[in-house]
Amino acid sequence: MLFMTIQNKPILSFEKVSVHLSGKCVLDHVTENFSEHQVYTILGPSGTGKTTLLKVLAGFIQPNQGSIYWQQAEYRPRDLKIGYVPQDYGLLPWQTVRKAVQESLTVGQRKKRLTLADQKKVATCLEDVFLTEVRDAYPKQLSGGQKQRVALARAFMLESDLLLMDEPFSALDAFTRREMQQLFQTMWHKSKPLTFFITHDIEEALILGDEVLVFKGSPGQVITREKGLRKSYRTEEELFTLQQSVDYFQRVNDLREELKGY
Amino acid sequence: MPTAFSNQLGWHIFFSLKRIGIGLGISLITGLLLGWLMGTFPFWNKLLDPLIYLTYPIPKLALLPLLMLFLGLGEGSKIALIITIILPQMILSIRDAIISIPETYYQVYLCMGANSFERFKQITWPAIFFGIISTLRVSLGIAFSVLFFAENYGTEYGMGYFIMDAWLRMDYPMMYAGILILSLVGLILFGCLDYLLKKKTPEINYDNKQAQR
């Protein structure tokens, strides 16, 4: 709470939102505000409703109580463009890399046919995520990191209002994961969507988030919101120095303690 | 064999194929519709599931007299017999193919703002295509054997009739020729289905499968 800064006007607010799933209360009276162009990382033990929160935002689950507002009006997920990156990437086995990314432009009554500018956009996007060489490959032929990059490219191609990511990098090895984190940040800066990013990696939560939401308890609640470090570094070197600092270790340990408590 | 062709063999094949084609076509459309309903909406599944399980084990050939009674001795009862036999398994395999599509496929598309037509076109249809061809193959085989009974009455055309007729006349060479030709027709049709499947599912590497298993 000490780190909480004065936020600009919230674009998304939860008011006493409760969710019951098959008779069990999963989220209990969550009241939170979220601002535009921010990355919120979500930490918490399993079973505390992290994924449920994402599903509520995605519109797969209706809250049983309370209300959600988007720009002061009722939140209607189907009226928004939402980028959703599930844990298993959700790539369609019959779509080539290029087709998967293109779909973000064509699907949803937007465009029937790609214009030349669109094709260029897709090509640039594929270039950005280093997939140009495998653009005609099917998911089965890709490595884990490549699949993840397709999922990222597809989500960012949408230029969505809201980006939801459910432990997107958890299946990757440490090295690939760091690459993906960098890539995520570069891509994010192009459209800066309001992002919710679930992770079980404390460092990832700190490095990528403007704010870290810590979920705890069953039914789950947001127990703290800590300032993240996303804006505290610009280059890899700066990040490296930051990660060596005592303050950084302290914060990681604090968060670890916080999560252990339950 | 050459004499077989002089016996209007072309017409026999044509009539058989026509019956199979119409039977399969109607079954496929109905199967797709009901399979989709059952796979997508639990309500329809609960409603139709017991009905199909209840009627599936009934030997449909035993229903032939009834079909003849209601639909006459012409094409109607023949095609109806084919449909009653292959429809249940078609519905069930299409339903199961739809049920087994991972939820996340749809979730990503829902979030992108895809309407139900787009979701069907981009997800459901390609996902069940393999299953459709697979069930068509099984059904085609069954339809051929059903033909044998269906073409035993009320018609003078069809491969079933041709073979049975030769048999009754004790013209065994002609009978075996008929069987051989029936298999060849089957071979061509199966080949077409395989070709279609390979062409439409380029993501599956059919040639490399064996080496890995």
Side-chain angles (χ1 to χ4, degrees), chain B residues 44-83:
Chain B
W44 284 99
N45 197 26
K46 273 187 197 135
L47 190 76
L48 296 175
D49 199 53
L51 204 67
I52 291 175
Y53 289 164
L54 195 69
T55 51
Y56 201 0
I58 297 175
K60 305 298 183 316
L61 283 178
L63 296 179
L64 188 55
L66 279 178
L67 291 175
M68 285 157 108
L69 190 68
F70 288 123
L71 298 167
L73 298 177
E75 296 299 295
S77 62
K78 292 178 180 43
I79 291 166
L81 183 67
I82 295 178
I83 293 174

Side-chain angles (χ1 to χ4, degrees), chain A residues 58 60 78 80-82 84 86 88 90-95 99 103-104 106-110 138 154 158, chain B residues 101-102 104-115 118 121-124 126-127 202-205 209:
Chain A
F60 308 144
R78 288 292 89 86
L80 299 173
K81 273 195 283 179
I82 301 173
Y84 178 57
D88 63 359
L91 299 179
L92 305 176
W94 47 88
Q95 282 184 352
K99 169 83 173 151
E103 288 280 282
S104 289
T106 49
V107 156
Q109 307 116 41
R110 278 188 278 281
Y138 293 97
R154 176 166 74 170
L158 254 187
Chain B
I101 302 173
T104 49
Y105 292 1
Y106 289 108
Q107 291 178 336
V108 171
Y109 267 69
L110 264 175
C111 283
M112 280 159 76
N115 57 34
E118 283 168 322
K121 184 171 166 249
Q122 302 296 348
I123 304 172
T124 315
E203 75 273 14
I204 302 173
N205 187 352
K209 278 263 144 94

Side-chain angles (χ1 to χ4, degrees), chain A residues 104-154:
Chain A
S104 289
L105 294 175
T106 49
V107 156
Q109 307 116 41
R110 278 188 278 281
K111 272 167 193 166
K112 283 279 156 269
R113 215 162 274 270
L114 289 181
T115 62
L116 223 66
D118 290 332
Q119 282 170 1
K120 212 173 233 172
K121 218 163 141 191
V122 172
T124 323
C125 184
L126 289 175
E127 195 79 47
D128 288 343
V129 294
F130 316 111
L131 287 171
T132 308
E133 267 165 48
V134 291
R135 61 181 183 268
D136 293 318
Y138 293 97
K140 221 186 240 177
Q141 300 160 298
L142 302 175
S143 71
Q146 285 172 325
K147 279 186 210 166
Q148 179 58 70
R149 295 209 291 273
V150 180
L152 268 188
R154 176 166 74 170

Side-chain angles (χ1 to χ4, degrees), chain B:
Chain B
M1 200 74 107
T3 43
F5 283 96
S6 59
N7 289 357
Q8 292 183 305
L9 189 73
W11 282 112
H12 288 295
I13 295 175
F14 170 77
F15 269 94
S16 288
L17 286 183
K18 194 182 102 186
R19 284 162 192 149
I20 289 182
I22 296 174
L24 279 182
I26 294 176
S27 305
L28 185 63
I29 292 167
T30 325
L32 267 174
L33 191 70
L34 290 178
W36 178 77
L37 273 179
M38 290 171 73
T40 314
F41 306 104
F43 168 79
W44 284 99
N45 197 26
K46 273 187 197 135
L47 190 76
L48 296 175
D49 199 53
L51 204 67
I52 291 175
Y53 289 164
L54 195 69
T55 51
Y56 201 0
I58 297 175
K60 305 298 183 316
L61 283 178
L63 296 179
L64 188 55
L66 279 178
L67 291 175
M68 285 157 108
L69 190 68
F70 288 123
L71 298 167
L73 298 177
E75 296 299 295
S77 62
K78 292 178 180 43
I79 291 166
L81 183 67
I82 295 178
I83 293 174
T84 49
I85 289 177
I86 61 180
L87 186 58
Q89 60 109 356
M90 232 174 206
I91 295 175
L92 291 182
S93 40
I94 289 171
R95 177 199 67 177
D96 292 347
I98 287 181
I99 287 177
S100 63
I101 302 173
E103 202 62 20
T104 49
Y105 292 1
Y106 289 108
Q107 291 178 336
V108 171
Y109 267 69
L110 264 175
C111 283
M112 280 159 76
N115 57 34
S116 44
F117 172 72
E118 283 168 322
R119 293 201 300 275
F120 182 82
K121 184 171 166 249
Q122 302 296 348
I123 304 172
T124 315
W125 177 255
I128 63 174
F129 188 77
F130 190 94
I132 289 175
I133 296 292
S134 177
T135 184
L136 264 180
R137 265 197 291 243
V138 176
S139 306
L140 188 63
I142 297 172
F144 266 113
S145 40
V146 173
L147 214 58
F148 213 76
F149 293 93
E151 290 181 341
N152 256 321
Y153 64 88
T155 181
E156 299 207 327
Y157 286 103
M159 286 313 291
Y161 170 81
F162 182 88
I163 294 168
M164 195 54 95
D165 180 56
W167 185 5
L168 292 178
R169 286 187 288 106
M170 288 193 277
D171 185 354
Y172 293 121
M174 195 64 90
M175 182 185 88
Y176 285 117
I179 292 173
L180 198 65
I181 286 161
L182 192 61
S183 337
L184 284 177
V185 172
L187 181 74
I188 293 167
L189 289 181
F190 283 122
C192 289
L193 282 180
D194 280 358
Y195 176 76
L196 188 68
L197 186 62
K198 272 195 187 180
K199 191 140 184 157
K200 290 281 176 187
T201 54
E203 75 273 14
I204 302 173
N205 187 352
Y206 291 96
D207 300 326
N208 214 0
K209 278 263 144 94
Q210 219 173 5
Q212 293 154 13
R213 290 192 184 167

